[in-house]
Amino acid sequence: MKPLFVKGPSVGARLLLLSLLAFAFIFAGQRYQWFQSLESSLSVVAAPFYWVTDMPDRLGLWVDDNVVSRKTLRRDNRRLNTEALLLKAQVQKLASLEAENVRLRALLNSAALLDDTVLVAELIGVSSSPLHHEIIINKGSADQLYVGQPVIDALGLMGQIVEVGPKQSRVMMITDATHAIPVQVNRNGVRSIAEGVGLLHELTLRHVSATTDIRVGDLLVSSGLGGRFPFGYPVAIVSEVSIDPGLPFATVRAKPNAQLDRSRYVLLVFNRKNPQG
């Protein structure tokens, strides 16, 4: 019978033998070309073992990159929704700023064409009463403003200052029911008085004879009479001429040129003939 337990070489002897083999392989690899070829072939054979031993690390990286908790997904979704909402709000603000920039350029282009000295002001308030067409602007006596000073926008005459404070002023618009302005037809010089009727988009001409040469589409400009408004500022376009054979005067209505309900910035005109301007 074979013995059940056979004593083999000691651990020290085995370690010595393996060390000698390792040195022999290193020496052979440096000295013999055929051994280097063998080493390359063995490396190809060993590649799958290296790939298998690297699998746990690869699997861990894949899990980190692709397996995300439900909580993380919900948090990221809320964050993205918030960012999208902020971006949309910014886009809206940019559109508003772009439109405001266009209006300011138009206003400044109008100022460049004027002979009178002008000052840009911003609208900061509107009268809450439907019976009074008035606005508040952010300029006052500190800016040398005065009662009766004309106010225009990029398209035409808006009104006049009726009250001046240190830092703000009140402007009555030409459509106010108590406001009137001397005008003339730009085409032929016919003079009249344009009065407000309490409607934001309508003026009426007073005491226009039924035989007066005035037509729909005629431009009405300030005549300069009375010295309050300078000559030549666009006021309104004639929108209706109605003649009743039994009445001595025609009914003439006009639409203001200025954007009375949309202008954010206005021009204050310093009339050279006004001693306060």
Side-chain angles (χ1 to χ4, degrees):
M1 292 180 63
K2 293 184 179 180
L4 184 60
F5 298 102
V6 178
K7 185 178 180 181
S10 66
V11 175
R14 292 178 183 178
L15 180 61
L16 178 62
L17 178 61
L18 291 175
S19 299
L20 291 174
L21 286 174
F23 282 114
F25 282 130
I26 294 173
F27 178 80
Q30 293 177 348
R31 292 284 183 176
Y32 302 106
Q33 186 69 30
W34 64 269
F35 194 85
Q36 293 179 359
S37 301
L38 177 63
E39 184 179 3
S40 299
S41 300
L42 289 175
S43 66
V44 174
V45 175
F49 296 97
Y50 290 127
W51 188 85
V52 170
T53 56
D54 194 44
M55 277 293 294
D57 290 337
R58 293 176 179 271
L59 183 61
L61 291 174
W62 183 88
V63 169
D64 290 339
D65 292 338
N66 296 279
V67 179
V68 183
S69 67
R70 178 183 178 88
K71 182 179 180 180
T72 301
L73 286 174
R74 293 180 64 181
R75 184 179 65 247
D76 290 345
N77 189 43
R78 286 195 299 267
R79 177 177 57 81
L80 290 173
N81 285 336
T82 301
E83 292 177 356
L85 185 61
L86 291 174
L87 288 173
K88 289 180 179 178
Q90 291 174 358
V91 169
Q92 293 178 13
K93 185 63 175 178
L94 287 174
S96 174
L97 290 174
E98 182 179 0
E100 185 172 291
N101 191 30
V102 170
R103 290 192 291 268
L104 278 174
R105 283 201 301 268
L107 190 66
L108 294 176
N109 287 338
S110 298
L113 298 176
L114 300 178
D115 293 330
D116 298 304
T117 303
V118 294
L119 175 68
V120 178
E122 184 178 3
L123 187 150
I124 59 174
V126 179
S127 173
S128 59
S129 173
L131 301 178
H132 297 91
H133 292 187
E134 296 177 346
I135 59 174
I136 307 298
I137 58 175
N138 66 341
K139 302 293 182 183
S141 57
D143 304 286
Q144 307 302 316
L145 270 60
Y146 55 89
V147 173
Q149 184 170 9
V151 179
I152 67 173
D153 70 358
L155 298 178
L157 201 148
M158 294 186 66
Q160 61 177 301
I161 294 177
V162 293
E163 182 181 306
V164 178
K167 296 293 184 180
Q168 63 185 36
S169 300
R170 185 162 53 95
V171 178
M172 178 185 291
M173 294 193 287
I174 58 175
T175 53
D176 190 276
T178 62
H179 192 276
I181 174 175
V183 297
Q184 68 180 45
V185 178
N186 193 53
R187 176 174 55 86
N188 56 18
V190 170
R191 293 187 297 271
S192 183
I193 301 294
E195 296 180 333
V197 293
L199 299 176
L200 198 58
H201 301 292
E202 185 177 317
L203 297 173
T204 184
L205 301 190
R206 183 172 59 179
H207 301 157
V208 177
S209 172
T211 60
T212 300
D213 181 15
I214 187 168
R215 308 170 189 170
V216 172
D218 277 342
L219 172 64
L220 304 177
V221 298
S222 55
S223 66
L225 298 180
R228 178 59 58 91
F229 295 96
F231 168 76
Y233 284 95
V235 176
I237 300 291
V238 176
S239 58
E240 179 185 344
V241 178
S242 178
I243 299 176
D244 188 336
L247 297 177
F249 299 110
T251 300
V252 181
R253 295 184 175 89
K255 182 178 180 181
N257 276 56
Q259 295 181 326
L260 302 179
D261 59 342
R262 283 175 283 176
S263 295
R264 176 70 178 271
Y265 295 91
V266 299
L267 289 175
L268 305 168
V269 181
F270 289 87
N271 188 1
R272 294 175 180 176
K273 295 180 181 180
N274 193 307
Q276 305 178 70

